């Protein structure tokens, strides 16, 4: 057993679809081909959007596809709990640390005020417009006054002078300009901890050495790197796999057909067919043929994963179904 550790971290806010299975398979292969440990973590931190039955369904779908994990909400492990809604005290502790070293400030901006600056430059595509820093320099007195009218969110102060660079295992050298998307929320006004903070605390607590995930989260990486640094935690290696796109250039979704794992199963598409199709798209096999996930372990080569979004043409989509 090597000390390589990776994870798949689904958000149970919808049915798992081929795009999720794609990231799950590649994260799993990266770890299994290195004889490492694979962790399943349920990212249900945004309570109102998540449903427990979808969490159970996600685990069932992954197992049906032939993926397994050494630690997770259903099998337990040394870093329990593996469900974010049960890990709130860890996030609160991190918030206290960040507050103590003056890295956070309360933000009283309303949604309307935030939208008003929506055209501000340097936003991150997946992260929305850059925050203009409106509340960063409020005096303690101003903060006190505003607290009487409104519960604030908490924002992390991003250093505006330093560019962020990191080496992505698939995309290569990534550079983000100073200020990367502006100061970001780590706790919302409704008390919900942000994805950015929870994911960093969990990946560090669970000793992740490698994070392989969809390229939609590439823009989150600089923010997460800043959090690792501010908390004095070691950051994992990152690798972002390209997104699967429809022919219209939009991310594969319901409008391109029902590609939920449950829907495919219902349509009689077997797990080995789905895995074979994904492995072919990922450059891991020369042609499309059904294959068990475990059979791919010995051949996995991260260097063969394409570094451009993959368009699922109608022909490719048909291949999956028939
Ligand atoms: N929970 C996130 C999602 O489903 C993934 C988080 C991550 O891999 O960092 O999009």
């Amino acid at each position: 057993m090597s000390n390589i550790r990776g994870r798949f971290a689904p958000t149970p806010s919808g049915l798992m679809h081929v795009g999720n299975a794609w990231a799950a398979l590649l994260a799993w292969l990266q770890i299994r081909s290195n004889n490492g440990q694979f962790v399943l973590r349920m990212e249900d931190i945004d309570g109102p959007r998540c449903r427990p039955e979808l969490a159970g369904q996600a685990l069932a779908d992954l197992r049906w596809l032939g993926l397994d994990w050494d630690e997770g909400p259903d099998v337990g492990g040394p870093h329990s709990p593996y469900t974010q809604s049960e890990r709130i005290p860890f996030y609160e502790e991190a918030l206290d640390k960040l507050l103590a070293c003056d890295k956070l400030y309360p933000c009283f901006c309303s949604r309307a005020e935030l939208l008003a600056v929506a055209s501000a430059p340097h936003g991150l595509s997946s992260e929305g417009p850059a925050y203009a820093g409106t509340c960063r320099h409020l005096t303690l007195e101003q903060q006190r006054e505003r607290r009487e009218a409104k519960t604030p969110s908490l924002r992390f102060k991003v250093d505006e002078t330093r560019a962020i660079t990191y080496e992505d295992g698939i995309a290569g050298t990534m550079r983000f300009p100073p200020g990367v998307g502006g100061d970001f929320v780590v706790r919302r006004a409704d008390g919900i901890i942000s994805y950015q903070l929870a994911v960093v605390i969990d990946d560090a607590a669970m000793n992740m050495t490698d994070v392989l995930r969809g390229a939609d989260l590439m823009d989150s990486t600089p923010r997460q790197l800043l959090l690792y640094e501010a908390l004095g935690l070691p950051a994992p290696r990152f690798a972002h796999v390209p997104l699967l796109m429809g022919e219209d250039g939009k991310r594969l979704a319901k409008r391109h057909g029902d590609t939920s794992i449950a829907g495919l199963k219902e349509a009689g598409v077997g797990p080995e067919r789905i895995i074979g199709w994904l492995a072919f798209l990922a450059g891991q096999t020369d042609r499309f043929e059904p294959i068990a996930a475990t059979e791919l372990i010995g051949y996995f080569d991260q260097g063969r994963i394409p570094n451009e979004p993959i368009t699922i043409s109608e022909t490719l989509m048909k291949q999956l179904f028939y």
Side-chain angles (χ1 to χ4, degrees):
M1 187 86 72
S2 73
N3 57 6
I4 298 276
R5 287 172 61 81
R7 75 331 186 254
F8 181 60
T11 300
S13 58
L15 279 177
M16 173 158 309
H17 56 88
V18 282
N20 307 120
W22 160 254
L25 171 66
L26 296 173
W28 181 84
L29 283 173
Q30 183 197 48
I31 299 308
R32 287 288 180 248
S33 66
N34 280 295
N35 215 9
Q37 289 146 15
F38 196 61
V39 174
L40 202 288
R41 183 172 68 232
M42 201 48 71
E43 301 210 320
D44 62 346
I45 191 84
D46 190 351
R49 283 178 54 231
C50 297
R51 302 214 315 263
E53 64 276 20
L54 288 172
Q57 177 78 45
L59 299 186
D61 287 346
L62 290 165
R63 285 205 195 283
W64 179 76
L65 286 168
L67 307 184
D68 65 346
W69 43 95
D70 307 293
E71 302 167 28
D74 52 346
V75 295
H79 307 285
S80 287
Y82 291 90
T83 297
Q84 286 192 326
S85 56
E86 296 166 21
R87 300 180 57 80
I88 308 291
F90 297 109
Y91 312 139
E92 296 289 352
E93 193 186 317
L95 283 176
D96 287 345
K97 266 191 207 155
L98 292 171
L99 277 169
C101 58
D102 196 28
K103 291 285 186 192
L104 307 183
Y105 63 88
C107 171
F108 300 88
C109 290
S110 65
R111 198 174 286 266
E113 284 165 321
L114 294 174
L115 286 176
V117 295
S119 58
H122 301 310
L124 296 171
S125 56
S126 67
E127 297 283 337
Y131 179 60
T134 321
C135 292
R136 184 160 175 169
H137 302 293
L138 294 180
T139 62
L140 285 176
E141 182 56 26
Q142 286 169 321
Q143 289 180 359
R144 202 185 52 75
E145 268 169 26
R146 286 177 205 208
R147 252 179 232 282
E148 278 168 22
K150 190 174 190 297
T151 308
S153 62
L154 281 176
R155 278 187 193 270
F156 181 87
K157 292 181 193 171
V158 174
D159 183 346
E160 288 153 333
T161 61
R162 198 159 53 101
I164 296 192
T165 303
Y166 83 92
E167 219 37 62
D168 192 279
I170 294 170
T173 306
M174 296 301 299
R175 291 190 182 81
F176 295 86
V180 285
D183 300 341
F184 59 92
V185 172
V186 287
R187 191 182 64 199
R188 293 181 353 198
D190 61 7
I192 290 183
I193 305 289
S194 78
Y195 154 70
Q196 307 293 359
L197 183 71
V199 80
V200 163
I201 297 310
D202 290 347
D203 282 338
M206 296 176 185
N207 297 329
M208 289 302 140
T209 59
D210 288 82
V211 167
L212 184 151
R213 59 187 176 191
D216 53 322
L217 292 167
M218 183 90 86
D219 277 355
S220 289
T221 308
R223 292 180 164 183
Q224 292 170 17
L225 287 170
L226 288 172
L227 285 172
Y228 279 109
E229 188 182 83
L231 289 161
L233 297 169
R237 288 180 287 264
F238 288 96
H240 291 86
V241 294
L243 296 182
L244 303 185
M245 316 290 273
E247 274 183 318
D248 55 359
K250 299 214 170 81
R251 212 175 148 182
L252 210 60
K254 273 211 189 92
R255 65 176 165 278
H256 302 107
D258 182 6
T259 55
S260 70
I261 302 304
L264 289 168
K265 186 176 176 185
E266 184 88 16
V269 182
E272 301 196 352
R273 196 170 177 88
I274 302 172
I275 295 291
W277 189 75
L278 293 172
F280 173 62
L281 293 180
Q284 303 301 307
T285 51
D286 303 337
R287 61 199 161 90
F288 167 49
E289 59 183 343
I291 190 166
T294 46
E295 279 182 72
L296 291 164
I297 295 174
Y299 304 98
F300 179 70
D301 179 356
Q302 189 166 303
R304 290 205 303 254
I305 300 177
N307 179 24
E308 292 292 332
I310 298 172
T311 302
I312 308 299
S313 65
E314 219 170 295
T315 318
L316 268 175
M317 191 63 113
K318 276 194 183 134
Q319 261 187 358
L320 175 62
F321 282 91
Y322 308 115

